[in-house]
Amino acid sequence: MWLKPEEILLKNAFKLWVTEKDNEYFVLQRRRGYGEGGGGLTGLLVGTLDTVLDSTSKVAPYRILHHTPDSQVYWSIACGVTKEEIVQHWDWLQQNIMRTLSVFDSSEDVTSFVQGKIRGLIAEEGKTCLVQEDDPEKFREAHLRFEKWFELPPGEKLVTYYSCSYWKGKVPCQGWLYLSTNFLCFYSYLLGAEVKLVISWDELWRLEKTSNVILTESIHVLAHGEDHYFSMLMHLNETFVIMEQLADYSIKRLFDKESFQREPALSDPLQITKRGLEANAKSEQFRTFFRLPKEENLLEVHESFLWVPFSHFNTLGKICLSENYLCFASQDGSQCHVIIPMREVVNVEKPDSSSRALTVCVRGKRALRFSEVRDYQRLANTIRSRCGINASPQHSASSEVMCCDCFICDNPEDVTLMVGQKDSSKAVSTEALMTVFHPQDVENLDPKMLKEKMKEQSWNIHFSEYGRGTSMFFTRKTRDLIVRGVPEALRGELWMLFSGAVNDMATHPGYYTELVEQSLGTSTLATDEIERDLHRSLPEHPAFQSDTGISALRRVLTAYAYRNPKIGYCQAMNILTSVLLLYAKEEEAFWLLVAVCERMLPDYFNRRIIGALVDQAVFEDLIRENLPQLVEHMTDLSFFSSVSLSWFLTLFISVLPIESAVNVVDCFFYDGIKAILQLGLAVLDYNMEALISCHDDAEAVTILNKFFDSVTNKDSPLPPTVQQASVGNNDKASHISVDISELIREAYEKYGNIRSEEVESSRKRNKLYVIQTLEDTTKQNVIRVVSQDVRFSASQLDELYNLFKRQHFLSCYWTMNSPALLHHDPSLAYLEQYQLGFQQFSMLFSLLEPWAFCSIKSTLSLWVFRLIDENQDGLINFKEFCCALDTLYTGSFTNKLKFLFKLHLPPDLNCYSLSHKRQPHLSLSIKLSGRGKVDLQAYLKQWQNEILKKEESIKDLPRINQTQFIQFSKTLYNIFHGDPEEELLYRAVAHVTSLLLRMEEVGRRLQEPSSPPESKKPANSTVGEESSTEESSTTPESSDTSSSHNSQDLSETEWSFSFEQVLASLLNEPAIVSFFERPVDIQTKLGLAKVAQLKSKTNK
């Protein structure tokens, strides 16, 4: 590798380097302790220096220096890991540089020319790299060390590296931490003690910052049940954030199967960089904070002051610009932020150079003035160009006059929804169900209605001061109004605004109507589940006792299942959607559901409800932090996880009366999951004494249920028939009622200091643990099932499962959207969740098979795959894999021989090929979910066959013909190759082969007078006889080809053998019997496979 020329004082390096070659201008040196004559004390000292010190000397054991005869200064210009690599560089210098140097008169000119040439070579190499690093020279050196020390596949991309200490027990090892796309690696070499650590990100259980008496601050990593601590990091926070992002990237890519099509920096695992990860993290925070669509990426950030008209002062903050939105968030504690869609921008006035200010005019005759913007001119031009690019036909000049005052019109719902209501189908409801089933009586002047009018008046004042619609200012006062409760008439509008759903609907006009037309009438598993749950959604509410409400609910849920088949439909979605339909129009309810499922509650609504489990883990952490008394009494907090699941899945709708639950939903749409966590803590705090005094979980559940039944909303204007709709127990007389507004206010006062950033960080940390816990549960269930059919111990099955699972991921590490990702489906039964295709199987089987007779991707390996693929779906599950290994490792002589015999029989149907694709099969109809139907009759039939399946008799096996028998003999030769008794075994096989041929010849002669040969020929024998001379000289390759094609040329005479004949003949050879009955050291085999698994991928 060419290096940026650096000056070296050679006399200080005489004891560390040995000169191998030299000439007038260049010197090739070898690091002392490497190569010939290495080792000993010198090697130990040099190796230690190379690891601890951060200098070019430790990069590689070979280097080339440039010098001139009249100078004592040397320049390092190249280094190499191997002698072959450095010799190539030396030869290039000899052929291309040496002749040219002779024309220069001065040594300065020579050195200048050499330095320029080397820099040119480095620049040419840099052009081939798609992404430039911050310091390309140092990064190239680090990448060379990374490749040398860990021997990972060439495609593995190093992201960054840090110097740190790794604590192995109580002893720190100073070394280097390398973070790559798929692995966390550490290397240390101190006085002969080498420490090498390689952990894949998908194996992490815990990743967190910790501190204790010994380590003031360190990073804790838990993987495979082992704790690893890294300390003495110069930039610990930066290191932790990068590690967190890489772990999260790995989980999303490998478990969630995200392709990152909208995020170019992450779309190719071979080109991941630290800069790209940081940009993606900032974009994610930006989208989460401002509730923007997933398509938006943070493009520019500018510090500025924004003139706040309602406070009459400039607030300091940051302008955040994305493709379609201009956002501002204050930094002075005022909690003020505003979101301006580019589609709402009418004009950007000419910037004021004196105050470096620009004014953005938006619809509704409003303007926002940003001042003290460093690059104000360019920002103004960027906003203008983006508004021009993104302007739609309805934002033309003629329509601007028409829509100019829409921002402050009397009916705000028409403002936010007019873009989305384009050509709505008559089947789609255009009114909120609460408006239809409980219209407000304007003349009603009872106290509750008067209070409702006062709330509306407070919000109208807020709108007049802070704006209304998409460009409204969000401030502390906004949150205060939310906590007090949102008026019934404004609830739908504000939910749309706070969730960001208003932007989704505005940018997708007519989308919902098209979905409804496409999805209605389809019959899938999701639609069946939807139909089953329709009448369970707020069944006592009048809106869902009529066809109007039921039909609207059906359309919304079916349309969403059609839009997002990955989620489809999950229980709890019906309850949430029914409440959304009460206060929002049908299309609004759909976009609110999109916002909840895809942004605000990620991974909640799938079969494993990972998102809800993650937030429950976050909730447990908050309980430990904020309610220590409860933790002391109930050390096992898993109880709260089980009881709070419905709180998170339904946003308290399933446990609170409907008139109280909607207040919780108000807070959720404004503050996200933080509001649910705060309320959960407040509920436990309110019932602290009762929970501490209870004796068991059942009593605690009763206490919480009675509490929820006693929660009321004293300000609700809803009639009693609606208020009691969702209450399971109306026995409130014995309990003091709790007002929901007071409970929410208390939650904000006591736990409002919880920051959304901390919640998101805790989510990432706990997601690792939750996923690995689910994976471990899957593993334990699979092992429990498989252990009944094999003789492996539980620990051996555990190691086999880890190897099997890792083989799956190894085929997914270095490509995006690998077909192998489809072989992992967590929604299937435990045994079917991880399956291997042929390529994956052949690599793993070659590492584990006991006799080394199958090379990777060989025809024989394909036959093994075909044989153990019982349902012939082109995939091998863990049980099939273990049963085959169990036969080869611990089976009897007869069973092992039967396995090899069956291996050489032709398949019942078409032969497999290396490009074999999965064919439709019975098992597929059983596995289908989401948009597929379950064939119950086929499933029952398969289940019955499994029960009735009996042990295969050796008499049932078909006979093998001449070609197959010859291949069988060659397989035996391959198995015996390299064995200490190889010659004895070869002679035994030859003797058996000769004996069988003579037996068959005698049998044929005895049968010739009575019947033609065809009458005794097996039905499946289709291969013609070839001369024994030709077959004996056939190479394995030609034999493989002939046997795989099953030549159809029939000769007049054919011979074949039954398994009984082969078995009887081989039983007479003690050498062969003892070979197959020789025990296999399974543990050693597993250990070697674990070490070689990555290397097999490297050497592929």
Side-chain angles (χ1 to χ4, degrees), residues 383-394:
I383 297 173
R384 286 196 193 99
S385 63
R386 293 204 169 276
C387 290
I389 292 171
N390 296 321
S392 57
Q394 57 228 37

Side-chain angles (χ1 to χ4, degrees), residues 195-220:
V195 178
K196 189 183 293 187
L197 183 71
V198 179
I199 303 172
S200 57
W201 295 113
D202 57 90
E203 296 171 344
L204 261 60
W205 281 69
R206 286 284 187 193
L207 177 62
E208 55 194 354
K209 287 188 287 187
T210 60
S211 59
N212 54 41
V213 177
I214 301 175
L215 303 175
T216 53
E217 204 170 14
S218 63
I219 295 175
H220 171 222

Side-chain angles (χ1 to χ4, degrees), residues 157 534 668 724 740 809 868 1035 1037 1056:
K157 175 69 171 66
L534 282 177
F668 167 74
Q724 295 175 2
I740 187 63
F809 282 125
I868 65 178
T1035 62
E1037 290 79 4
S1056 60

Side-chain angles (χ1 to χ4, degrees), residues 37-96:
L41 181 61
T42 305
L44 293 178
L45 292 173
V46 173
T48 301
L49 286 170
D50 288 353
T51 304
V52 176
L53 299 178
D54 185 14
S55 64
T56 307
S57 63
K58 71 177 186 324
V59 172
Y62 298 94
R63 71 178 182 180
I64 296 177
L65 305 179
H66 162 67
H67 73 105
T68 53
D70 56 348
S71 173
Q72 294 296 318
V73 178
Y74 286 73
W75 300 83
S76 65
I77 59 172
C79 68
V81 177
T82 63
K83 190 169 184 178
E84 291 76 15
E85 180 186 358
I86 204 69
V87 166
Q88 284 183 355
H89 286 58
W90 178 266
D91 292 342
W92 189 91
L93 290 170
Q94 294 281 63
Q95 297 168 11
N96 298 279

Side-chain angles (χ1 to χ4, degrees), residues 254-308:
L254 300 176
F255 288 95
D256 300 340
K257 301 181 179 64
E258 285 194 24
S259 57
F260 300 95
Q261 292 179 351
R262 301 189 185 101
E263 295 156 1
L266 304 181
S267 60
D268 184 359
L270 302 183
Q271 300 298 333
I272 299 297
T273 63
K274 177 182 170 184
R275 191 180 301 170
L277 285 170
E278 290 171 346
N280 179 70
K282 289 177 181 177
S283 292
E284 198 170 312
Q285 292 173 359
F286 167 69
R287 289 191 296 265
T288 302
F289 183 82
F290 292 108
R291 304 280 168 77
L292 298 179
K294 286 187 175 182
E295 296 81 9
E296 299 302 311
N297 292 296
L298 182 61
L299 303 178
E300 297 179 21
V301 178
H302 302 268
E303 277 200 358
S304 75
F305 287 91
L306 172 63
W307 173 252
V308 185

Side-chain angles (χ1 to χ4, degrees), residues 680-700:
L681 292 173
V683 168
L684 296 181
D685 189 21
Y686 192 93
N687 295 278
M688 177 81 74
E689 293 182 6
L691 290 172
I692 289 176
S693 61
C694 66
H695 298 90
D696 53 34
D697 292 352
E699 188 177 347

Side-chain angles (χ1 to χ4, degrees), residues 54 107 270 279 335 385 394 429 450 460 512 576 580 587 594 596 604 610 632 781 819 851 915 927 976 1032:
D54 185 14
S107 59
L270 302 183
Q335 297 180 2
S385 63
Q394 57 228 37
S429 174
L450 286 174
N460 287 329
Y512 174 67
L576 176 61
L580 298 178
E587 185 174 4
V594 170
V596 171
Y604 261 61
I610 288 175
E632 289 175 10
N781 282 285
W851 307 310
S915 60
K927 296 173 190 173
F976 300 148
S1032 61

